[in-house]
Amino acid sequence: MTPTRRLLAALAAAAALTVATPGLAGADAVRNADWALDALHAQTAWRTSQGAGVTVAVLDTGVDATHPDLTGQVLAGKDEVGFGAKRGDSAWARHGTGMAAIIAGHGHGYGDGSGVMGIAPKARILPVRVILEDKDPQRAKARASRGDALPNGIRWAVDHGADVINLSLGDDSATAAPVAAEDDAIRYALSKGVVVVASAGNGGEAADRSSYPAAYPGVIAVAAVDRNGVHAGFSTSRWYASVAAPGVDVVIADPDRSYYTGWGTSAASAYVSGAAALIRSAYPKLSPAQIKQVLQSTTRHRPKGGRNDQVGTGLIDPAAALAAARKLKPQPAVPVPVAYASRYFAPGPAPAPAPADHAQLLGDGVAAACAAAGAALVVAAGLLWFRRRTA
């Protein structure tokens, strides 16, 4: 195993939360419960852009391309794991399908009036399987043999047409450290003009340690808020927070054709990835840094002083961001300079000591092994959500 190999793991803490909530069995109930699109002024944003022509790579547990809310939207992807649960298994593609529908769901049925409508309903989804669901019986095997799936998946997505990369996953265990291969892959994506979005972490009610990949330079790190625009208690509060998006009681599509409400910074990240797709569709020459800046500068519920560690600059407003983006002169897509007090990695392949700790994640996901004075650090990472069954 190479020193920078990231292992695939899962945290039992986020095994399914299955408190039944009646009322989402019908199509109208699903749409009525989906408050996030109204909060994001989606109808106004769609007058300018619905994400047409943009590809969003969803690096996750896989995506069900046959889900009625996603048919015709999902491209042929890549499985960087190569084994684990298959279609029909209870541990197959649940998280990834939910995130893909938040980004690019188009609904189904008469007038597409049933199911989940994504924030960028005309965007395409490029699925890249880099992690296994928390209940997948092959987790241990993946942990031992597929540690480089995440950085490889990022590079593959960039080389196969991704315009935006969604990372609804993260690593914020107490022993975690940044991984050079991941940092390099993200810098590669940014240098190619690809926007990278990641979950801020679900450690807000624990240690509030920093989460990777959210804390890497250039990433749009997304915190979660409720329907009132208030910071969700579980959402990690750290210096790297860029913006916030809905992450409490949001509607989740599942491969089993049921719908759930769930919470976590995973969902928040997916909404911001969809918003980035709207901007990239309307203004394809804007750089990743410009798209990040315009999302940050047009937020609502802005905190005192303009930003804080809980929500960054506040709740995204895609309609306002699109209006502001129209005034920008495109800049070259260049790697974003490190803007932090110290670099993560010294020159050469060996990681330098991490400048910050890392937050506890909830979910199934990845773990990392870094070399430090000849010893490997193994860290846990995960998908940043809990789910509550609603239908």
Side-chain angles (χ1 to χ4, degrees):
M1 183 180 303
T2 61
T4 59
R5 173 162 291 180
R6 185 168 289 279
L7 310 176
L8 303 182
L11 301 180
L17 181 64
T18 57
V19 179
T21 303
L24 285 196
D28 291 342
V30 172
R31 285 295 172 87
N32 289 341
D34 197 1
W35 62 270
L37 293 182
D38 286 340
L40 296 176
H41 299 167
Q43 291 289 346
T44 302
W46 291 341
R47 296 171 192 165
T48 302
S49 173
Q50 294 187 34
V54 171
T55 298
V56 181
V58 176
L59 274 66
D60 215 291
T61 63
V63 175
D64 179 7
T66 70
H67 193 285
D69 294 345
L70 289 167
T71 53
Q73 302 292 95
V74 183
L75 303 171
K78 179 74 178 294
D79 185 351
E80 292 284 354
V81 181
F83 51 81
K86 303 254 190 312
R87 179 182 298 278
D89 295 339
S90 62
W92 177 76
R94 303 188 76 183
H95 190 272
T97 299
M99 299 305 101
I102 286 174
I103 295 167
H106 52 54
H108 66 275
Y110 179 75
D112 288 331
S114 302
V116 170
M117 182 70 72
I119 187 66
K122 291 188 178 180
R124 296 180 296 257
I125 295 294
L126 180 66
V128 186
R129 193 183 192 213
V130 298
I131 46 180
L132 300 182
E133 298 279 351
D134 63 320
K135 290 188 176 181
D136 195 312
Q138 296 293 314
R139 286 185 309 157
K141 179 181 178 182
R143 184 183 305 123
S145 62
R146 294 295 185 271
D148 53 2
L150 182 57
N152 286 351
I154 292 171
R155 289 178 177 274
W156 186 90
V158 172
D159 292 341
H160 289 79
D163 300 293
V164 179
I165 291 177
N166 181 71
L167 302 173
S168 287
L169 47 78
D171 178 5
D172 56 3
S173 64
T175 58
V179 178
E182 291 178 3
D183 182 68
D184 289 344
I186 288 170
R187 289 176 181 274
Y188 177 70
L190 297 171
S191 75
K192 297 295 185 178
V194 180
V195 181
V196 183
V197 183
S199 310
N202 286 357
E205 293 172 341
D208 257 339
R209 293 184 292 264
S210 295
S211 176
Y212 293 93
Y216 289 122
V219 173
I220 302 176
V222 188
V225 295
D226 64 18
R227 66 181 64 228
N228 297 312
V230 176
H231 173 256
F234 62 81
S235 181
T236 298
S237 298
R238 295 295 290 181
W239 48 269
Y240 55 74
S242 303
V243 292
V248 179
D249 293 335
V250 296
V251 177
I252 307 294
D254 194 88
D256 68 4
R257 305 309 190 255
S258 294
Y259 296 90
Y260 304 82
T261 53
W263 58 264
T265 55
S266 272
S269 176
Y271 281 115
V272 174
S273 290
L278 298 181
I279 300 169
R280 175 51 59 83
S281 174
Y283 308 106
K285 294 184 179 180
L286 294 184
S287 70
Q290 287 180 296
I291 292 175
K292 179 177 182 178
Q293 183 274 329
V294 80
L295 284 168
Q296 288 182 296
S297 66
T298 57
T299 52
R300 294 183 292 120
H301 302 293
R302 294 180 73 85
K304 185 177 180 180
R307 79 161 305 279
N308 63 27
D309 290 350
Q310 290 187 329
V311 297
T313 62
L315 174 66
I316 61 165
D317 186 337
L322 283 162
R326 181 171 56 87
K327 303 174 184 177
L328 296 180
K329 180 180 179 180
Q331 297 175 352
V334 294
V336 177
V338 176
Y340 309 132
S342 58
R343 294 183 61 87
Y344 291 111
F345 303 105
D357 51 10
H358 312 279
Q360 178 186 1
L361 296 197
L362 305 177
D364 73 346
V366 294
C370 292
L377 289 176
V378 178
V379 299
L383 302 176
L384 301 177
W385 73 336
F386 270 124
R387 297 187 302 159
R388 180 168 70 248
R389 180 176 290 272
T390 56

